């Protein structure tokens, strides 16, 4: 069975602090895809990043960075110098079906960035 | 910006009513999905479609039904709404040809059954 665990239910930081959101996944498949989505209060899911199981390179995009480690089945997300606009619920998700819409979601981490 | 639209955004309806949640996308995607999200919880797949006249049930059992008569349209219907159906419903779509893409989500419909 596949599973995604986001152990941090809520995180609260002060603006400009760095914050890391943890994601641990379980799958027996050798080919799989991992995603991070952001859900602002408006409700939609905004795609942030996709990583396939063959690509363990870490990625940086502006203030966002992702650390993918197959050895620990983790795909952690770091926001550097957080801003109030980063406040949202963040979901980590997994699929191995080759169908990138059939996702197994984690429970989500609510990030609150205070001014 | 994703071109996938859901209506209505918010719906409050009485028990026993029939409701249809609309989802349309203009990206020509073959695959479409419905997810259910209870407040403060993760999303669960309840229906998906690989194309016209194709519908499948997802991982979470749901009393709702779906249809896919046109590529761009994937409505979800509840024949008799109950308070247990109160939730947020999110529609998504993705391309057929490659897994190296991502699903695009609509803004969701927040359904309250009283």
């Amino acid at each position: 069975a596949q599973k995604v665990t986001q152990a941090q239910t809520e995180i609260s930081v002060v603006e400009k602090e760095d914050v890391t959101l943890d994601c641990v996944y379980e799958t027996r498949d050798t080919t799989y895809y991992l995603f991070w989505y952001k859900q602002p209060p408006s409700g939609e899911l905004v795609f942030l990043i996709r990583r396939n199981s063959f690509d363990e390179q870490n990625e940086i995009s502006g203030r966002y960075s992702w650390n993918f480690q197959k050895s620990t089945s983790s795909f952690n997300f770091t926001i550097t110098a957080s801003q109030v606009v980063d406040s949202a619920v963040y979901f980590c998700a997994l699929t191995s079906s080759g169908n990138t819409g059939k996702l197994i979601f984690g429970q989500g981490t609510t990030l609150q960035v205070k001014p | 910006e994703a071109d996938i639209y859901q209506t209505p955004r918010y719906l409050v309806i009485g028990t026993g009513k029939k409701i249809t949640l609309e989802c349309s996308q203009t990206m020509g995607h073959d695959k479409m999905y419905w997810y259910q999200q209870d407040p403060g919880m993760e999303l669960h797949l309840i229906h998906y479609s690989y194309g016209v006249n194709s519908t499948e049930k997802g991982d979470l059992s749901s009393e709702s039904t779906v249809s896919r008569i046109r590529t761009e349209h994937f409505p979800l219907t509840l024949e008799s709404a109950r308070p247990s159906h109160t939730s947020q419903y999110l529609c998504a779509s993705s391309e057929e040809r490659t897994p190296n893409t991502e699903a695009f989500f609509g803004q969701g419909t927040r359904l309250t059954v009283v």
Side-chain angles (χ1 to χ4, degrees), chain B:
Chain B
E1 194 166 309
D3 295 319
I4 181 164
Y5 308 100
Q6 291 185 242
T7 57
R9 288 291 314 281
Y10 303 92
L11 179 61
V12 180
I13 200 162
T15 298
K17 299 290 187 182
K18 177 180 179 179
I19 59 171
T20 296
L21 308 185
E22 302 289 347
C23 176
S24 296
Q25 51 96 5
T26 59
M27 296 172 282
H29 288 169
D30 286 310
K31 297 177 180 176
M32 295 190 73
Y33 318 84
W34 276 102
Y35 283 85
Q36 183 175 339
Q37 182 184 25
D38 291 333
M41 302 293 286
E42 66 265 45
L43 288 79
H44 291 284
L45 182 69
I46 53 174
H47 298 284
Y48 60 99
S49 167
Y50 287 144
V52 171
N53 295 325
S54 154
T55 61
E56 302 285 345
K57 290 191 177 293
D59 303 323
L60 181 68
S61 176
S62 173
E63 294 171 343
S64 59
T65 58
V66 293
S67 62
R68 189 91 182 273
I69 299 173
R70 303 197 314 264
T71 297
E72 62 272 20
H73 195 213
F74 192 39
L76 181 146
T77 298
L78 278 164
E79 290 293 334
S80 180
R82 294 208 297 268
S84 60
H85 297 141
T86 295
S87 190
Q88 171 156 259
Y89 294 85
L90 286 135
C91 180
S93 71
S94 66
E95 287 186 7
E96 164 68 19
R97 288 176 296 278
T98 170
N100 203 28
T101 61
E102 68 274 8
F104 294 92
F105 284 80
Q107 287 192 299
T109 294
R110 291 186 190 272
L111 172 65
T112 302
V113 184
V114 297

Side-chain angles (χ1 to χ4, degrees), chain A residues 9-69:
Chain A
T9 305
E10 292 184 21
I11 300 176
S12 181
V13 299
V14 177
E15 206 169 21
K16 297 185 183 178
E17 284 186 25
D18 299 347
V19 59
T20 295
L21 310 182
D22 297 332
C23 173
V24 174
Y25 63 92
E26 296 176 27
T27 180
R28 293 184 178 181
D29 295 304
T30 55
T31 300
Y32 53 89
Y33 301 83
L34 294 162
F35 301 79
W36 276 95
Y37 280 88
K38 174 182 179 180
Q39 187 176 40
S42 52
E44 76 275 22
L45 265 70
V46 178
F47 167 77
L48 296 177
I49 190 170
R50 171 192 60 251
R51 177 65 73 227
N52 71 49
S53 53
F54 297 107
D55 182 2
E56 285 195 74
Q57 273 191 329
N58 292 328
E59 182 157 339
I60 298 174
S61 176
R63 296 183 298 106
Y64 296 169
S65 63
W66 291 269
N67 183 4
F68 176 33
Q69 291 197 337

Side-chain angles (χ1 to χ4, degrees), chain A residues 91-102:
Chain A
F91 288 96
C92 181
L94 164 74
T95 184
S96 60
S97 67
N99 182 343
T100 56
K102 286 186 71 178

